[in-house]
Amino acid sequence: DLSNYLYEYHIESKTLNRHLLLDMDGQNEQVKKEQKLDIEAIAQRRGVYYLFPSGSGPNRIVQFAIDPNDFSSIVQHDVSNLYTSIRETFHISEEDFNIEGAIFHQDNLFLFNRGNGPNKMNGIIKVIEKEGSPSLTFTPITLPRINGQIAGFTDATLVDGKIFYLAAAEAGDSNYYDGEVSGSQVGVIDPISLLPEKAETLSLDYKFEGITLYQDRPSEYVFLLCDDPDNNENKSTIHQLRIAK
């Protein structure tokens, strides 16, 4: 069971009290960059939501499992062993490791590594469920450039058997520090071949980092996108994106 595989890497499991999720006088996101857990990806499996950290720093290795019907019990796990195994298996340096998206497909886990480090290791890590210990694969993915800059994954979701992904480009070679935004794109990848099928630039000004299906209409999909303004205003905008079927 893939859930057990993810959990076997935990050092300590904790239950967070419900009050921690409620009123914190507006301070629940006011943390220093070096302290934040950097939860970057969410995927649903068998009614449970799994929240994955980026792994782009020593404190960014805590995964959460949430039952949406019972927010009083949120389980957290240390996934540093899993992330270390991925990096060592595929020779991905700490500076190049940056998980930004996650999906489950046919009971396998797909993690989307954003190629915004020095070696631009953009690709999909597949955790294949097998008897005993699951195996790992890494598929490098080269995306169309945005405004002349290399694009890297920022999120992904699975809809009707297709991966809809977001990618962004920004100046710099850091998986930790933000660079000047060059734009964002949306695209489709086949989950079996892992080959990109199409992509389109959405904006040269916004860095979109979150995508979810909002409505499945007869002739189109309606997605919600969340942007990251990379400023100190602590404000993000939810955008609506329509894609024809």
Side-chain angles (χ1 to χ4, degrees):
D1 187 282
L2 187 57
S3 300
N4 292 333
Y5 174 63
L6 295 174
Y7 286 170
E8 76 179 54
Y9 289 99
H10 78 278
I11 294 177
E12 181 179 12
S13 296
K14 299 179 180 178
T15 299
L16 304 182
N17 293 329
R18 183 177 177 83
H19 71 82
L20 293 178
L21 300 174
L22 302 179
D23 185 16
M24 294 183 65
D25 296 325
Q27 298 302 307
N28 57 321
E29 294 185 8
Q30 302 300 317
V31 295
K32 295 180 179 179
K33 188 179 183 73
E34 61 269 19
Q35 295 175 330
K36 75 173 184 175
L37 299 179
D38 208 33
I39 301 300
E40 290 283 1
I42 182 171
Q44 187 268 352
R45 184 173 187 259
R46 297 176 183 171
V48 176
Y49 289 95
Y50 296 90
L51 282 64
F52 293 87
S54 66
S56 60
N59 63 312
R60 299 177 171 191
I61 42 78
V62 180
Q63 177 217 53
F64 295 88
I66 299 175
D67 180 349
N69 298 311
D70 184 12
F71 269 55
S72 65
S73 179
I74 298 177
V75 181
Q76 67 181 62
H77 303 278
D78 183 313
V79 292
S80 57
N81 285 355
L82 172 61
Y83 282 8
T84 298
S85 178
I86 292 171
R87 288 194 291 102
E88 291 180 349
T89 300
F90 303 113
H91 308 289
I92 303 174
S93 69
E94 293 182 5
E95 293 77 13
D96 283 305
F97 192 75
N98 189 12
I99 300 301
E100 295 269 348
I103 65 170
F104 287 101
H105 178 255
Q106 297 180 348
D107 283 334
N108 299 316
L109 172 65
F110 293 64
L111 297 173
F112 294 76
N113 192 63
R114 183 180 177 190
N116 63 333
N119 294 302
K120 309 301 181 186
M121 298 288 286
N122 195 73
I124 300 175
I125 299 144
K126 187 176 178 181
V127 185
I128 304 170
E129 186 170 11
K130 299 168 63 175
E131 288 190 19
S133 60
S135 62
L136 304 170
T137 68
F138 175 73
T139 303
I141 306 288
T142 301
L143 302 174
R145 288 177 176 258
I146 305 172
N147 201 23
Q149 298 286 343
I150 294 176
F153 291 125
T154 54
D155 200 12
T157 189
L158 186 71
V159 178
D160 285 347
K162 295 289 185 180
I163 297 171
F164 288 81
Y165 74 85
L166 288 177
E170 56 189 348
D173 296 315
S174 175
N175 65 349
Y176 188 82
Y177 295 104
D178 296 318
E180 182 180 352
V181 175
S182 295
S184 299
Q185 71 180 217
V186 65
V188 177
I189 293 176
D190 180 83
I192 303 301
S193 66
L194 295 184
L195 293 175
E197 295 185 349
K198 55 185 176 181
E200 183 174 341
T201 297
L202 291 172
S203 170
L204 299 181
D205 302 310
Y206 289 97
K207 183 170 70 171
F208 294 117
E209 293 207 358
I211 182 171
T212 188
L213 181 66
Y214 177 54
Q215 293 178 334
D216 186 350
R217 298 175 178 174
S219 61
E220 66 180 3
Y221 301 111
V222 182
F223 293 94
L224 297 181
L225 310 182
C226 183
D227 75 1
D228 179 2
D230 283 346
N231 57 38
N232 295 321
E233 295 182 4
N234 298 314
K235 182 187 299 183
S236 185
T237 303
I238 303 299
H239 303 254
Q240 192 175 108
L241 171 67
R242 294 183 173 90
I243 297 180
K245 291 184 175 179

